Amino acid sequence: MPKSEQKLQKKKGSSAQLDKQADDAVTPIDALAQQYKTDVQKGLTSKKAAEILERDGLNELEKPPKPTLLLLFLMQLTSFIIILLMVSAVASVLVNATGPKAGDPLSYTTGIAIGLIVLINAGIAAWTESRAGDALEALSKMTQANIYVMRDGKEVQIPVPTVVAGDIVVLGTGDVVPADLRLFEAKDFKVSEMALTGEPDDVAKTHKVKEKKDGAPEKLTPETMAFSGCSITSGVGKGLVVDTGMSTRIGRIAQLINGDAGARKTTCFCFPDTSANQTPLQQNLNKLGARIGVLAIIICIGIFIIGWLTDRKDPSNPDSPAWLYMILVSVTLAVAAIPEGIPLCVTISLSIGCS
């Protein structure tokens, strides 16, 4: 399937999920309980909860295999810009090795310098990307071990991963919301939604559905919904679980960090294909770097041809052939024109932002 169609389907799926939660936020609680086949007073039966758990899976974020530092380092070397630099370094060394100054170590400084730039860039980028990989693990820790729910008409404590859609969750100050849920009881109920929206102030929640007034600002999250990973700063309440695991809002953030949930693809170098979860900034800068690199190559080839045809020779060594001198000049110009700092700067900036 083409990448454009995959992105379109992914966007439609995310939009449909947001529409579903918007409907859940305003649907009467009795109708919502009937939809999820539960009872707001007694909760689910143990048998029904087990069936839903088997169908939907555990209420936890998926953890993909984390690439090793060595693999991340090697993946940095597959960038188009980095490949151009490595070709330039090899060309510089080969030209000097076949020239009259083959025995002079200083004649290889250009090639060695380019190689060091490539290795330093790849090393720093791999290290910062490895640290950013811990962000998903940090998201998965934004929950507590156990939570109180209504099962078989009794309030019982169960592990958070076993919470299922339709469960009635009992919440109090200090708890962490175990899943996305619709509130139907709330007394002085406030949550911290900083992990979701960046809002530094506590957000008041209510079980009452209010009509939106004309001209009123759009709220970042519905007032009748509490979302997975958000800590409760005050009050008590009860809610009906509507989404668990990767279907929650925090789960969609994890999907953005992790990329598509399907089979992991590889590139022609047998490395994981991370192009699917690149940000628009990364994609545009990669295209910009490739365009600059191709333009630099075209210009350098043109300079080489002109210099060769006009018999431009090395002033310090007039006996050397013109083509050899012009290759060195072209390689030097190519290295100066290629923006080798773009991959490093983008990786560092996005990794810090992700963390």
Side-chain angles (χ1 to χ4, degrees):
M1 182 182 295
K3 287 186 179 180
S4 58
E5 293 186 16
Q6 290 179 351
K7 289 182 179 179
L8 184 60
Q9 287 189 359
K10 189 175 179 181
K11 190 174 182 180
K12 286 181 178 178
S14 178
S15 177
Q17 185 70 9
L18 290 174
D19 291 341
K20 171 188 172 297
Q21 288 193 342
D23 291 339
D24 291 342
V26 297
T27 302
I29 191 62
D30 292 334
L32 199 61
Q34 188 175 4
Q35 178 183 335
Y36 284 91
K37 299 178 180 179
T38 187
D39 189 298
V40 293
Q41 300 301 328
K42 298 180 179 180
L44 294 169
T45 63
S46 298
K47 182 180 178 181
K48 183 65 176 177
E51 293 175 357
I52 299 174
L53 183 63
E54 185 177 359
R55 181 193 68 195
D56 296 343
L58 292 173
N59 174 38
E60 58 186 11
L61 302 182
E62 296 175 359
K63 296 180 181 178
K66 187 178 179 180
T68 62
L69 188 61
L70 176 60
L71 180 60
L72 289 173
F73 175 81
L74 295 176
M75 287 171 60
Q76 306 302 321
L77 301 179
T78 62
S79 167
F80 178 73
I81 296 175
I82 298 299
I83 291 174
L84 288 180
L85 286 173
M86 290 191 292
V87 171
S88 300
V90 172
S92 176
V93 171
L94 290 178
V95 169
N96 284 289
T98 57
K101 296 182 180 180
D104 185 6
L106 294 177
S107 63
Y108 300 100
T109 52
T110 301
I112 294 173
I114 298 172
L116 288 175
I117 289 173
V118 168
L119 293 177
I120 292 173
N121 268 2
I124 296 176
W127 180 69
T128 53
E129 193 168 331
S130 176
R131 291 186 61 188
D134 297 333
L136 178 60
E137 187 175 348
L139 283 178
S140 65
K141 291 179 180 178
M142 293 175 59
T143 184
Q144 60 192 50
N146 299 300
I147 197 72
Y148 284 97
V149 301
M150 300 299 297
R151 290 274 176 93
D152 300 311
K154 299 178 182 178
E155 184 176 318
V156 296
Q157 192 177 43
I158 63 171
V160 167
T162 61
V163 172
V164 298
D167 262 329
I168 304 301
V169 180
V170 181
L171 299 168
T173 303
D175 286 337
V176 177
V177 182
D180 290 359
L181 48 87
R182 163 70 186 280
L183 296 171
F184 61 89
E185 287 184 17
K187 184 177 180 181
D188 299 325
F189 198 79
K190 290 185 178 181
V191 299
S192 172
E193 294 186 340
M194 186 179 295
L196 287 179
T197 63
E199 174 63 45
D201 299 326
D202 296 338
V203 180
K205 297 290 182 177
T206 179
H207 65 283
K208 299 178 181 179
V209 179
K210 300 177 182 178
E211 293 185 5
K212 184 181 177 182
K213 298 180 181 178
D214 294 337
E218 187 73 26
K219 293 186 179 293
L220 295 175
T221 57
E223 288 183 317
T224 57
M225 299 285 291
F227 296 98
S228 176
C230 296
S231 57
I232 300 165
T233 57
S234 68
V236 293
K238 288 185 179 180
L240 189 158
V241 175
V242 295
D243 287 302
T244 60
M246 296 300 287
S247 297
T248 61
R249 288 205 177 186
I250 204 74
R252 288 199 294 279
I253 293 176
Q255 285 180 339
L256 289 175
I257 296 175
N258 185 31
D260 293 331
R264 296 185 69 81
K265 301 176 183 178
T266 58
T267 64
C268 57
F269 297 98
C270 298
F271 295 130
D273 184 7
T274 58
S275 59
N277 59 330
Q278 284 186 337
T279 65
L281 175 62
Q282 285 177 301
Q283 294 172 353
N284 291 331
L285 286 178
N286 285 341
K287 291 178 182 178
L288 174 63
R291 288 171 183 169
I292 294 176
V294 171
L295 184 61
I297 291 174
I298 294 173
I299 292 175
C300 291
I301 291 175
I303 291 174
F304 169 77
I305 294 174
I306 294 172
W308 184 31
L309 293 177
T310 56
D311 199 28
R312 296 282 184 177
K313 295 186 178 182
D314 187 357
S316 62
N317 186 16
D319 296 331
S320 64
W323 65 267
L324 188 63
Y325 175 62
M326 291 311 303
I327 285 181
L328 288 174
V329 172
S330 300
V331 168
T332 304
L333 287 175
V335 172
I338 293 172
E340 67 274 3
I342 283 183
L344 178 64
C345 292
V346 172
T347 301
I348 292 176
S349 301
L350 294 180
S351 297
I352 293 173
C354 178
S355 299

